[in-house]
Amino acid sequence: MEKKISSLESKINEVKTEVKAIRIPSPPKEKENNPTVQINHLQVDQIVIEHLDYANNFGQLGIKELSGKLNIGSTYEGDISEKINEIVKQKLGKEAAVNIKAKKEE
């Protein structure tokens, strides 16, 4: 029993010396305070937009009534035949004549 106790005591002493040999990491040093930068005036010469995502959500848009007309192509309001005739006469003289009349809506 005495031998066992003495061997255990010696092992405990060995463990203590090993624990002392292990270095405990010191707490990290505080970072040095960098000087602050203060901007008094900022001028932007050019803005470059590389990607623009336009997302319109019309999921809950309801249409109760739809009326009007849809014109596809060139549409002119009013009678422009006189203006066109003047331009053609200036450019071509008496060589060509153009007869353009506006379509009357019923």
Side-chain angles (χ1 to χ4, degrees):
M1 195 85 137
E2 287 179 11
K3 287 182 180 181
K4 282 188 177 183
I5 291 174
S6 65
S7 71
L8 288 175
E9 285 177 349
S10 66
K11 287 184 182 181
I12 289 174
N13 287 334
E14 288 176 15
V15 170
K16 282 183 182 179
T17 56
E18 286 180 19
V19 169
K20 286 181 184 178
I22 298 174
R23 289 189 171 191
I24 299 173
S26 60
K29 295 180 180 177
E30 292 184 21
K31 293 182 180 178
E32 296 179 14
N33 291 339
N34 293 332
T36 59
V37 177
Q38 182 178 3
I39 300 173
N40 292 329
H41 178 73
L42 179 65
Q43 180 177 349
V44 178
D45 292 330
Q46 183 179 14
I47 296 176
V48 176
I49 299 173
E50 292 180 7
H51 176 74
L52 178 62
D53 187 13
Y54 249 95
N56 293 326
N57 188 1
F58 293 114
Q60 303 214 354
L61 178 66
I63 300 173
K64 293 182 181 178
E65 182 180 332
L66 184 62
S67 63
K69 63 181 180 177
L70 173 65
N71 294 319
I72 299 175
S74 298
T75 58
Y76 303 102
E77 292 185 18
D79 187 16
I80 61 167
S81 60
E82 292 178 15
K83 291 181 183 179
I84 291 177
N85 283 333
E86 288 176 19
I87 293 170
V88 169
K89 283 181 184 178
Q90 287 176 359
K91 299 280 182 176
L92 300 176
K94 293 183 180 180
E95 295 175 9
V98 178
N99 293 324
I100 297 177
K101 294 183 181 177
K103 182 179 176 183
K104 293 182 181 180
E105 293 185 20
E106 296 178 24

